[in-house]
Amino acid sequence: MDLSKINLKDFQSTHVRNFSIIAHIDHGKSTLSDRLLEYTGTLSARHKNEQFLDKLQVEKERGITVKAQTVSMFYEHNGEQYLLNLIDTPGHVDFSYEVSRSLYACQGALLVVDAAQGVEAQTMANFFLAFEQDLTMIPVINKIDMANAQPEKVAEQLEKLFDFQEDEMIPASAKSGIGIKEILDAIITRIPAPKGNVEEPLKALLFDSWFDEYRGVICLVAVQDGTLKKGDDITLAQTGNNYEVLEIGLMYPDQQPTEALYPGQVGYLISGMKTVKEAQVGDTIYAYKKKVEPFPGFRPAKPMVFAGIFPVDTNDFAELSDAIEKLTLNDASVTVTKTSSPALGLGFVCGFLGLLHMDVFKQRLEQEYNLSVIATAPSVLYKIHLKDGTKIQVETPSDFPDPSTIETIYEPMINATIIVPKEHLGNMIKLCEEKRGLQTDLSYMDEDRIILKYKLPLNEVATDFYDQLKSLSSGYASFDYEEAGYETSDLVKMDILLNKKPVDALSVIVHKENAYHLGRELAERLRKVIPRQLYEVAIQAAIGAKIIARESVAALRKDVTAKCYGGDISRKRKLLEKQKKGKKRMKQVGSVEVPQEAFLAILKK
């Protein structure tokens, strides 16, 4: 459809539908987005592109959605044209902030559930996110044409868990195109139109933004009242800055300029913003000198996992700083503070929503900005009460105070929901017990699957818990969590020493019970990844002055006696003694090169 022939004024509130697609990771929402775009003619066959809305390289490689995307479609229903705005959302637990932001600009959501896998932990979490915001939900049972699909069983789960009626559910297959027309018709008939008045002063929500090298900051906005036209002077409520609208338009499917946006419509806005700090997500846009009551904004995301990010080459610090600034516009849930480490130089401590979130952020830095970075072991935010009455917060092991000054240590806890097939229940309970978990509930979802609820320390979950959960359940268990405050704990700081010198970046905060076992394991792992030097390297794990584990990397030896043909044995001994003294001197002055693999060995502890 040619946008130049369409008058957007005809698509005000009543003929607009803003909806989102929410689902657990890998339940087919990106494929469903593609089919909706193709069915409405937004994507031509020539432009057909699997997972069109997964634009990032990391999304295409991993097959997951990381960044919420927006696209507009035109669809005819009962002889009338409607403008549909689809906001695609991520499915993984670590990107729930993107989901909550996207839902804020919608009036309804498609809740997509895989007919073979059924309701999973993130399906439940996303349902309650949408439920909190009072959105109209349309349940879609996807992948019904798969050999192992059980749509009747999934329908029972949806009815039992969320009180959906069977006639509300739409059976579909995004891959084959089954049920696409029914979904589009349901969006128009069931999802309410956005409320808005064209006569009121301009009020629009800035719900997403990203940085373009050539055009500066591009904002995604949802207009509630009034009209937003090209050439208008606008003000942002939080910063108070004024701008002129240089370009405005719809994402159809990419940026298509239009003259104006009207109530209920979602589109992009370019206004010459040069820095990422100017476009604060959740801000309210209003006409210059016509102030309106601002939107309450979004509940700021609370980082759960902290890690240091340092450039491999210290000369790249300025480029890393610039790249992180641009990426945090794309991902406002990351918190960033500058830091310096004796081992790694200048860098940043970044707060993430989870370990996958951290991994994806690091991968985007490497792929999109061509940087080589080291990410240190992830840690969480501890609260420590000292004996002198002061209270401090500790994110990294390097900030951990002297044990003799500590009164009480508090660590963050989470309430975890795990959905697991009953044959893997024993493995799940064992894993949670090993991670110091406390079971709070166990209930049957149906005859095959169980909902487990555990209170767990975040520190235990922040590393390899998700990987272990998947491997112990053959990939069938799903996991979601929410914060559960702080509880007292017996924690210690464990240092890793290389030739008696502590390596700051390899230190970890661990529970006292697990320290000995973990120290042995880390020393063993480091022995395998630290390359041999010309002298012996001693790897030690220590708590304070007490060494709890030790491994050695043997020295590379040159055969100095090769040139001795015959003669007295004392000649050979003399040469070997000389070599021994040289190795000792070398060990005192030499510094051990710590490869990236060593940091990864700690990361996957």
Side-chain angles (χ1 to χ4, degrees):
M1 188 178 288
D2 185 0
L3 272 189
S4 60
K5 295 175 183 171
I6 289 176
N7 184 3
L8 283 182
K9 207 167 183 177
D10 298 338
F11 294 91
Q12 286 181 38
S13 293
T14 53
H15 283 66
V16 174
R17 298 291 183 273
N18 298 325
F19 70 100
S20 174
I21 301 179
I22 54 176
H24 188 85
I25 191 167
D26 200 32
H27 277 211
K29 65 187 168 306
S30 294
T31 309
L32 179 59
S33 305
D34 285 355
R35 292 301 90 79
L36 294 173
L37 293 175
E38 284 164 27
Y39 193 89
T40 55
T42 312
L43 269 189
S44 63
R46 190 162 56 88
H47 290 111
K48 187 176 175 181
N49 178 7
E50 290 304 312
Q51 267 75 49
F52 175 79
L53 293 179
D54 288 348
K55 292 185 166 74
L56 303 176
Q57 188 181 338
V58 62
E59 293 178 317
K60 294 182 192 299
E61 282 176 9
R62 290 173 178 250
I64 60 172
T65 303
V66 167
K67 187 83 193 78
Q69 299 288 352
T70 302
V71 67
S72 298
M73 301 171 272
F74 291 94
Y75 179 66
E76 190 173 312
H77 176 75
N78 291 346
E80 292 190 42
Q81 284 277 0
Y82 287 83
L83 170 61
L84 311 180
N85 295 309
L86 155 64
I87 294 145
D88 185 35
T89 62
H92 194 276
V93 52
D94 286 5
F95 302 102
S96 56
Y97 180 68
E98 287 280 331
V99 180
S100 64
R101 252 177 33 195
S102 304
L103 298 182
Y104 208 89
C106 301
Q107 284 73 47
L110 300 179
L111 184 72
V112 178
V113 182
D114 187 319
Q117 297 179 63
V119 172
E120 300 204 46
Q122 194 62 22
T123 316
M124 293 173 72
N126 284 338
F127 170 84
F128 291 115
L129 267 178
F131 188 75
E132 267 177 37
Q133 297 192 28
D134 206 23
L135 300 190
T136 300
M137 272 175 280
I138 300 170
V140 175
I141 301 174
N142 193 23
K143 306 187 186 182
I144 57 163
D145 55 345
M146 283 179 71
N148 57 345
Q150 296 177 300
E152 297 83 10
K153 193 173 176 182
V154 175
E156 280 174 29
Q157 290 174 2
L158 286 167
E159 196 172 330
K160 183 180 175 183
L161 292 168
F162 309 127
D163 288 338
F164 286 122
Q165 299 307 308
E166 202 168 331
D167 57 355
E168 292 178 76
M169 303 172 202
I170 301 174
S173 168
K175 202 163 194 177
S176 316
I178 300 165
I180 301 301
K181 183 183 186 302
E182 288 77 2
I183 290 169
L184 286 164
D185 290 343
I187 288 166
I188 288 164
T189 54
R190 294 197 218 167
I191 293 176
K195 296 184 176 83
N197 189 343
V198 74
E199 304 300 329
E200 293 282 323
L202 170 67
K203 184 179 180 182
L205 171 73
L206 192 165
F207 69 92
D208 200 2
S209 49
W210 66 92
F211 189 85
D212 185 282
E213 283 294 330
Y214 305 104
R215 312 173 84 188
V217 178
I218 299 174
C219 305
L220 277 183
V221 296
V223 179
Q224 180 174 305
D225 294 317
T227 310
L228 189 56
K229 294 195 194 76
K230 186 178 174 180
D232 279 358
D233 289 325
I234 56 167
T235 305
L236 265 66
Q238 282 183 30
T239 60
N241 293 346
N242 302 316
Y243 302 94
E244 183 190 343
V245 179
L246 303 176
E247 186 177 316
I248 197 166
L250 295 179
M251 301 296 287
Y252 182 73
D254 292 312
Q255 294 157 27
Q256 297 286 340
T258 59
E259 282 304 308
L261 288 178
Y262 297 93
Q265 294 177 4
V266 173
Y268 72 92
L269 164 77
I270 299 172
S271 59
M273 293 182 199
K274 295 288 187 292
T275 67
V276 294
K277 293 184 178 73
E278 294 173 70
Q280 294 184 22
V281 168
D283 208 343
T284 305
I285 296 171
Y286 59 87
Y288 181 60
K289 290 187 176 174
K290 290 188 179 175
K291 195 163 185 179
V292 293
E293 183 67 31
F295 292 104
F298 300 121
R299 186 172 56 199
K302 288 182 182 168
M304 305 286 270
V305 173
F306 294 86
I309 291 186
F310 297 86
V312 170
D313 182 350
T314 50
N315 296 327
D316 291 343
F317 178 74
E319 286 88 337
L320 176 64
S321 176
D322 191 44
I324 285 179
E325 194 179 348
K326 286 172 184 171
L327 262 191
T328 47
L329 172 69
N330 259 290
D331 189 351
S333 56
V334 178
T335 61
V336 181
T337 48
K338 279 186 184 172
T339 188
S340 69
S341 153
L344 300 168
L346 282 172
F348 298 90
V349 172
C350 299
F352 302 96
L353 301 181
L355 204 68
L356 177 73
H357 187 202
M358 170 189 150
D359 204 17
V360 165
F361 190 84
K362 177 176 172 278
Q363 194 173 334
R364 288 185 70 187
L365 282 174
E366 291 171 339
Q367 288 178 345
E368 295 172 34
Y369 298 95
N370 204 22
L371 289 164
S372 296
V373 296
I374 289 173
T376 63
S379 64
V380 297
L381 187 69
Y382 301 100
K383 294 179 178 176
I384 299 177
H385 292 190
L386 302 179
K387 286 177 179 172
D388 63 4
T390 53
K391 297 175 183 178
I392 60 169
Q393 294 190 339
V394 171
E395 290 171 12
T396 57
S398 57
D399 299 333
F400 204 79
D402 181 347
S404 63
T405 65
I406 296 172
E407 181 75 44
T408 323
I409 302 175
Y410 296 88
E411 68 174 331
M413 305 295 288
I414 58 165
N415 286 326
T417 302
I418 300 166
I419 297 180
V420 61
K422 64 181 179 186
E423 61 267 27
H424 300 294
L425 178 64
N427 286 342
M428 284 304 101
I429 291 175
K430 189 181 173 193
L431 173 66
C432 292
E433 299 293 332
E434 281 173 6
K435 300 292 185 183
R436 300 189 283 128
L438 176 71
Q439 191 181 116
T440 56
D441 190 31
L442 187 153
S443 58
Y444 278 80
M445 181 191 282
D446 52 36
E447 65 270 19
D448 295 323
R449 296 210 297 168
I450 292 162
I451 302 174
L452 265 181
K453 296 204 172 177
Y454 264 89
K455 188 175 239 187
L456 287 157
L458 178 60
N459 184 31
E460 299 286 349
V461 177
T463 45
D464 61 351
F465 180 81
Y466 191 72
D467 295 341
Q468 285 182 265
L469 176 108
K470 285 293 182 189
S471 63
L472 289 172
S473 64
S474 307
Y476 287 111
S478 61
F479 167 69
D480 186 64
Y481 62 83
E482 58 187 29
E483 295 169 70
Y486 279 75
E487 287 186 7
T488 56
S489 187
D490 194 5
L491 299 168
V492 290
K493 176 189 175 184
M494 185 168 71
D495 288 308
I496 300 293
L497 313 176
L498 297 180
N499 285 346
K500 299 187 179 174
K501 293 176 189 169
V503 181
D504 202 29
L506 296 179
S507 300
V508 284
I509 297 171
V510 292
H511 195 267
K512 207 168 186 177
E513 280 179 14
N514 302 340
Y516 178 72
H517 165 72
L518 188 65
R520 292 284 301 269
E521 193 184 325
L522 292 186
E524 176 67 26
R525 283 193 186 186
L526 287 171
R527 183 180 64 78
K528 292 175 182 172
V529 292
I530 288 178
R532 290 174 73 185
Q533 318 282 322
L534 288 169
Y535 47 87
E536 184 189 37
V537 177
I539 302 162
Q540 295 169 308
I543 296 171
K546 187 180 178 186
I547 304 297
I548 58 168
R550 173 184 166 126
E551 291 285 343
S552 298
V553 178
L556 282 170
R557 297 185 73 92
K558 179 183 173 187
D559 188 1
V560 290
T561 59
K563 60 191 177 195
C564 292
Y565 292 101
D568 190 59
I569 187 69
S570 60
R571 285 182 65 204
K572 288 187 178 181
R573 283 198 184 130
K574 195 174 173 183
L575 278 169
L576 290 168
E577 281 300 318
K578 192 176 172 187
Q579 184 189 38
K580 195 174 174 184
K581 283 177 187 169
K583 298 267 182 201
K584 196 174 177 182
R585 263 200 317 277
M586 217 186 273
K587 187 173 181 175
Q588 285 167 349
V589 297
S591 60
V592 182
E593 283 285 311
V594 183
Q596 174 76 347
E597 290 77 32
F599 294 103
L600 294 175
I602 299 278
L603 189 70
K604 292 170 180 164
K605 71 177 194 295

